[in-house]
């Protein structure tokens, strides 16, 4: 049986100019492209006119393909001898369920390659004109998810690390659980006045950056939550320099 090949590609945060040259090349060679909601639009212009484009984006609160269905599509197309691209937003290795797709491909003996992308965390800080680290104030960066598989705040979170006032913390998928997280952070000694940045639709035309404190953001999100994809950064550097 002739097996195809799968490229697991990070599309970056949404700005097509942040695609890597390798990502562009792979898109131009692909027979089939499975893409996320935030890895669509102008990015797909790099595909061949005859390429099959399949939307598989998963968004909270909306009907969307299950991960098992995405895995099956990757395997089936590759087993048919196709060159397949799985286009994920941000970097595929950061809260992108990459490991499940790798397991499915390995089980079917399908060769694959991971092509990293610009993380939304890095892009958000850059859009705000801020660094993620500083030698004297923020010596550590930590990426965490805002919810577990049930949609709740993870029960096994390391609160000592999350409440570290000398770290830059990036919370992915944070909106619905951030008020509860802030309550726990304050209980573990982090000031509610800690600077924070909420970045929505980073790299897209409707990008929105909200600078506040963790306390103010928690209050805002407790009152109203939009459906825009977002992440929240907090720590000593998340304020105007």
């Amino acid at each position: 049986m002739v097996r195809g090949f799968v490229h697991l590609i990070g599309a970056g945060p949404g700005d097509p100019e942040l695609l890597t040259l390798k990502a562009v090349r792979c898109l131009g060679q692909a027979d089939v492209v499975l893409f996320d909601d935030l890895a669509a639009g102008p990015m797909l212009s790099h595909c061949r006119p005859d390429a099959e484009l399949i939307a598989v984006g998963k968004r909270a609160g909306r009907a969307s393909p299950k991960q098992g269905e995405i895995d099956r599509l990757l395997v089936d197309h590759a087993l048919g001898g196709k060159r397949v691209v799985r286009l994920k937003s941000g970097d595929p290795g950061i809260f992108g369920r990459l490991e499940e797709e790798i397991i499915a491909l390995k089980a079917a003996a399908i060769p694959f390659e991971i092509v990293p992308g610009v993380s939304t965390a890095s892009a958000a800080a850059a859009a705000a004109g801020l660094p993620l680290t500083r030698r004297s104030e923020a010596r550590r960066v930590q990426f965490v998810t805002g919810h577990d598989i049930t949609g709740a705040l993870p029960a096994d979170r390391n609160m000592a690390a999350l409440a570290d006032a000398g770290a830059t913390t990036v919370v992915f998928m944070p909106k619905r659980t951030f008020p509860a997280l802030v309550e726990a952070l304050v209980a573990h000694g982090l000031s509610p006045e800690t600077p924070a940045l909420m970045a929505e639709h980073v790299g897209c035309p409707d990008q929105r950056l909200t600078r506040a404190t963790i306390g103010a953001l928690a209050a805002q999100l407790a009152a109203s939550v939009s459906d825009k994809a977002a992440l929240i950064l907090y720590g000593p550097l998340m304020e105007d320099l």
Side-chain angles (χ1 to χ4, degrees), residues 182 185-186 189-195 212-217:
V182 169
L185 291 171
V186 172
L190 190 65
S191 170
E193 298 302 311
T194 300
T213 63
I214 60 170
L217 270 185

Side-chain angles (χ1 to χ4, degrees), residues 4 6 15 22 26 48 69 101 111 120 191 194 209 213 238:
V6 176
D15 183 348
K22 188 167 189 176
C26 292
R48 299 195 327 249
E69 174 66 11
E101 294 170 5
T120 307
S191 170
T194 300
L209 304 177
T213 63
M238 292 304 113

Side-chain angles (χ1 to χ4, degrees), residues 42-73:
M43 298 186 189
L44 299 180
S45 66
H46 298 292
C47 301
R48 299 195 327 249
D50 62 339
E52 182 178 359
L53 306 180
I54 305 173
V56 294
K58 297 187 287 294
R59 296 290 294 273
R62 300 182 186 178
S64 55
K66 302 296 185 183
Q67 185 61 46
E69 174 66 11
I70 297 172
D71 298 343
R72 185 190 65 77
L73 287 169

